């Protein structure tokens, strides 16, 4: 985020007309700044390093390098520099897309359909940047249920054992895609308290956001 409080947005997509439309949409918003674009995953890595966007909209299927590998490389490079990694929203044309699950495992913070409503896309950028919610957590869970074929559950990581009983309950509800408001209602807590618990859970498990929490839960077979 810039000193003026605007969210810096980058775009990686191989369709020039789509890039132009997104550039115009993002630039029309006073709290968003369009800082760079690229037409393939390799150029996306360069753009991310030079423009340092807060949020990147990343197409999955592109020539030269796809969005999955580009996402991994961008996040790894940010970690190596000691920078805060950008939030990556992958763009897909398919509602249930195995490539989206692989991108999320690679570090993306969620996914959107490319034909989503413009207002929803703008809200998604703000939401993912804030880190207080995720894009389609329930849909992410559905993706993993649909495509995850891992046969045997691994042992839960030691970090999971550091959660308190309350944090464990909230973790399981969040992993099923419930919102903060839904968790607050189920656990008879305030939304602010739930948000605090979620932040502590993410910290203890070294996770970036709630989408990564869903990935963690399903990869370790911590939810049905």
């Amino acid at each position: 985020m810039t000193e003026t409080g605007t969210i810096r947005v980058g775009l990686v997509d191989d369709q020039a007309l789509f890039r132009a439309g997104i550039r115009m949409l993002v630039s029309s918003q006073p709290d968003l700044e369009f800082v760079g674009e690229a037409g393939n995953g390799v150029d996306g890595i360069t753009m991310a390093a030079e423009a340092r966007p807060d949020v990147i909209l990343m197409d999955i299927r592109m020539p030269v390098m796809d969005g999955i590998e580009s996402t991994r490389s961008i996040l790894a490079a940010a970690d190596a520099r000691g920078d805060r990694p950008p939030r990556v929203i992958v763009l897909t044309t398919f509602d249930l897309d195995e490539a989206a699950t692989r991108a999320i495992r690679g570090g993306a913070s969620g996914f959107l359909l490319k034909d989503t409503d413009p207002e929803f896309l703008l809200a998604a950028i703000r939401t993912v940047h804030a880190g207080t919610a995720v894009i389609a957590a329930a849909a992410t869970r559905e993706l993993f249920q649909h495509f995850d074929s891992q046969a045997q559950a691994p042992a839960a990581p030691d970090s999971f054992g550091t959660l308190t009983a309350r944090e464990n309950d909230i973790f399981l509800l969040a992993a099923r895609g419930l919102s903060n408001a839904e968790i607050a209602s189920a656990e008879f807590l305030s939304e602010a308290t739930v948000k605090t618990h979620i932040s502590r859970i993410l910290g203890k498990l070294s996770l970036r956001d709630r989408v990564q929490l869903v990935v963690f839960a399903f990869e370790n077979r911590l939810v049905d």
Side-chain angles (χ1 to χ4, degrees), residues 5 23 28 51 64 88 106 132 144 188-189 201 203 224:
R23 181 170 63 247
S28 71
V64 185
V88 178
T132 57
F144 277 80
F188 303 101
L189 299 170
I201 291 166
D224 296 330

Side-chain angles (χ1 to χ4, degrees), residues 5-103:
T6 57
I7 301 170
R8 298 169 59 82
V9 180
L11 171 64
V12 186
D13 192 281
D14 64 333
Q15 297 179 352
L17 188 60
F18 182 79
R19 293 200 307 272
I22 295 297
R23 181 170 63 247
M24 291 176 60
L25 176 66
V26 170
S27 299
S28 71
Q29 303 299 299
D31 62 330
L32 304 180
E33 179 185 1
F34 191 88
V35 296
E37 63 183 82
N40 62 65
V42 170
D43 290 344
I45 296 171
T46 301
M47 181 276 293
E50 294 178 350
R52 304 291 177 89
D54 299 310
V55 176
I56 298 175
L57 302 174
M58 176 74 72
D59 190 17
I60 289 183
R61 293 171 176 81
M62 294 179 290
V64 185
M65 177 186 286
D66 65 26
I68 300 169
E69 188 58 37
S70 184
T71 294
R72 291 194 186 103
S73 297
I74 289 170
L75 296 179
D79 286 339
R81 293 192 303 265
D83 294 341
R84 176 185 175 184
R87 306 284 188 180
V88 178
I89 303 173
V90 295
L91 305 172
T92 176
T93 54
F94 303 101
D95 196 5
L96 284 175
D97 191 342
E98 187 173 9
T101 68
R102 289 187 282 126

Side-chain angles (χ1 to χ4, degrees), residues 96-173:
L96 284 175
D97 191 342
E98 187 173 9
T101 68
R102 289 187 282 126
I104 291 168
R105 278 196 171 101
S109 293
F111 73 97
L112 286 175
L113 295 178
K114 294 187 79 171
D115 62 356
T116 193
D117 182 84
E119 289 303 317
F120 186 79
L121 186 146
L122 293 171
I125 292 171
R126 298 178 179 109
T127 299
V128 166
H129 178 261
T132 57
V134 298
I135 303 306
T140 300
R141 178 173 177 266
E142 184 178 357
L143 278 177
F144 277 80
Q145 286 177 318
H146 189 78
F147 290 112
D148 201 339
S149 59
Q150 186 175 331
Q152 187 173 356
D158 291 340
S159 59
F160 187 69
T162 66
L163 301 185
T164 66
R166 172 68 82 181
E167 288 169 348
N168 184 76
D169 291 342
I170 291 175
F171 170 91
L172 294 175
L173 293 173

Side-chain angles (χ1 to χ4, degrees), residues 194-205:
V194 171
K195 188 179 296 185
T196 298
H197 280 303
I198 291 291
S199 295
R200 289 174 180 166
I201 291 166
L202 295 177
K204 287 183 177 182
L205 301 181

